[in-house]
Every structure is written in structure tokens, then in C-alpha cells.
Amino acid sequence: MRVWIDLTNSPHVLVMRPVIERLRTAGHEVQVTARDFAQTLGLCERFGLECTAIGRHRGEGLAAKAAGLASRSLALVRWAREQSRGEGGGGFDIALGHGSNDVCVAAGLLRIPSSTMFDYEWATLQHSVNCRLARAVVVPEVIPEQRLRRYGAAAKLRRYEGLKEEYYLADFEPDAAVLASLGIDRSRPLVVVRTPPEVSLYHRFRSDVFAGVLERLRAAAGREGVQAVVLPRVESQRALLEGIDGFVVPRGAVDAQSLIAYADLVISAGGTMNREAVALGTPVYSTFEGRLGAVDERLIEEGRLRRLAQPGELELARRRVDSEQARVRRDPGVLVELLLSPLIP
């Protein structure tokens, strides 16, 4: 079987890595395309995932995103046709993506079955496209079906238990080398921070709470010896953060999962890093100011994720680990089966 996987953002590399590995181990041919955005290409290189770089992020506005979708989808069509071993159809048996509208559009034009996967249900424009074009929509079971009906997904839903992070982190063990590479002193408090997804349509405004968090951490670096590793999403954020004393801003893709595992606290304005912290047992605050999805609603209800209202609520100290928290490790093979379900009679 020939499988096409498209990666459009940094977290997608993490989610799809074990899927790619299992498909290849099973003897299937897997071709990967990736968009030049955030750390997507850098993470592919770090994990040894050979990919073809196609397209880039075209901007924040709706018109720019629409233009980007059209141009990159057509570029993917041309690429897929070049890979074809026969007439038409792109030569692939199925196309897979995590929230990639581009691959769903391209696969539709090529009449290739596709599956999409996501865990945040309020990206309305994105899901209005990918859910209608895909033959399978793979989501956490905690997302209510009624929230997905508007996208035409009800008959296509394939559900999995728990968090997607519990699947792709199943084989993960932290590596202290990342601390040494960043000059981190393990005797002092370590806070890992992820910036807001300012280029996402579902996050239309800057976070005043997050700005307050940065100021609190900048002051704590001098007074309390707190080490703040700030992970920007895009180069414009990096350029701003590198000019602030007291922050460690890595260049390029780093082993963020190990940083999270060793951190005393994680603060993220997005979603994936919050849930990675939950999966790894690290205390975590969310400063996300968009509409909460069902996954985060459940985590907050269970006390596994806290929503930060004021920067003064932060406790910047070494965390006490009274006992080793049992990690939930789930089989990524479950995701493989769900994604390939359109090919099963």
C-alpha cells in the first residue's frame, strides 16, 4: 500500500511520527510532504523523517489563508502526480493529515481517499473543509458529536480514548541532554513557556494574560533565579523574545518533550504543549483565550490543567515529586487503524 502523509504544523510531526514508523514497519510505502511553517521542517529533520517541503504559511488573514490553501493544494496535486506509477489517481491508496486542509483538497481532486485527524473542534473554517472532504474523521471520544455535525462529520467519526499525546509519547523517555545544551541549572526552578498561536484564525487576538506572564517571568529571572525557556512559534516572535533579558530562546527545533518532563511548570497559550505536560505529569497552566475545546474542558474539570486568570497566581518554585505519577501510554497502532479505516470494507 502507498500512503501519503502531509504535515502542516509542528505538532503534526509528533503525532504522525509513530504512525509513519508503524506503517513502514508493516511494509507499506509512506511518502511525506511538509509545509515550511514554525518548526515543522526542523522537527522532521530531528526525528529523521525524510519529507518533501512544499509551500509555506501565507499569512494571518482569511484571504491570505484561502490563497495559501489554493496554491499549496495545487502544488500537492502536481507533486502527487509526479509520484504516480500509473495513470491518474496520484498513485496513492490513501492520504492522511492532522488538520491539513491542503491534503484533503488535493486528495479530493485526485480522487484519493483521505482521513483527517484533530482534537480541537472550534477551528470552524478548517473543519468545514477537511471534514467534508475526508472519508474518516479521527477525534478524541470526549468531543461531543453534536459539536461536529455542522461540519458534516457525524457519519465519518472514528473515536479514540484519552489524549493524542498519550499515543505519540508512548515510547518517550526524557533526555537530560537538552538541559545541558541550553545551559539549564537543575538546582533552580525551570519554567517552559509556549507563545500564543497568533497566526491561527481561532486565536484572533493577542493575550494580555500572556504578556503579563512574560513580565512576571522576566522579573523572577533576576530576583528569584527562575529559568524561563520560551519556545516561539514563528520568527517574528523569536526576534522579539531574543531581545528580552532573562529568557532562554532556543534556535531551531529542540527536544521540547524532555524540557517539559524536567520542568517545574509549563505555561502555554496553545493546546498541544498543555496536553504534553498533562501526559508527562508536569504542572501546567493554560493562557489560551479562545473558546475552550472539549479536551481542555475535561482536563480542567479533572484538575489536570489549570486556566491562568492572573500572572500573580503563578507559583515559581521547584515542584515536589512525592511519588512517580503513573503515565498513561497508549498504542499508536490504534490511530493507524482508525486513519486507515476508509480502506477497510
Side-chain angles (χ1 to χ4, degrees), residues 99-307:
S100 170
N101 279 356
D102 306 344
V103 78
C104 289
V105 171
L109 292 171
L110 293 165
R111 299 185 179 180
I112 301 170
S114 67
S115 295
T116 192
M117 181 178 173
F118 58 84
D119 60 356
Y120 179 71
E121 65 271 30
W122 300 125
T124 305
L125 292 174
Q126 180 185 66
H127 301 329
S128 294
V129 175
N130 58 32
C131 289
R132 286 181 168 80
L133 292 173
R135 297 192 188 179
V137 178
V138 181
V139 297
E141 63 180 7
V142 71
I143 300 179
E145 180 181 325
Q146 59 266 30
R147 294 188 183 181
L148 303 173
R149 287 176 184 161
R150 68 167 80 179
Y151 309 129
K156 305 174 181 180
L157 292 180
R158 309 289 189 271
R159 297 182 175 277
Y160 60 87
E161 293 182 331
L163 309 174
K164 73 178 188 299
E165 291 76 12
E166 294 168 341
Y167 292 87
Y168 71 73
L169 290 173
D171 61 353
F172 170 78
E173 296 297 339
D175 183 356
V178 69
L179 302 179
S181 70
L182 297 175
I184 300 300
D185 181 349
R186 297 185 67 176
S187 68
R188 293 159 50 199
L190 171 61
V191 180
V192 176
V193 185
R194 182 64 159 166
T195 57
E198 293 176 355
V199 295
S200 295
L201 285 175
Y202 60 79
H203 198 290
R204 294 177 181 273
F205 42 85
R206 297 179 186 273
S207 169
D208 291 335
V209 173
F210 190 82
V213 166
L214 292 180
E215 177 56 31
R216 170 86 167 87
L217 292 174
R218 186 196 63 77
R223 293 198 308 261
E224 305 166 43
V226 171
Q227 302 165 105
V229 178
V230 186
L231 304 176
R233 293 175 185 269
V234 293
E235 286 303 314
S236 59
Q237 294 176 340
R238 183 186 306 281
L240 176 64
L241 291 164
E242 285 180 332
I244 301 177
D245 290 337
F247 291 165
V248 178
V249 184
R251 298 293 303 179
V254 298
D255 182 359
Q257 291 70 47
S258 289
L259 272 176
I260 291 169
Y262 287 114
D264 297 292
L265 182 66
V266 170
I267 307 167
S268 175
T272 296
M273 187 165 287
N274 287 337
R275 293 186 288 275
E276 287 179 340
V278 169
L280 295 172
T282 302
V284 54
Y285 281 104
S286 173
T287 65
F288 181 67
E289 292 191 359
R291 186 174 184 180
L292 282 181
V295 173
D296 283 358
E297 287 175 340
R298 175 65 61 84
L299 293 175
I300 290 172
E301 179 183 314
E302 294 173 346
R304 301 166 71 192
L305 172 67
R306 291 172 286 179
R307 203 170 190 185

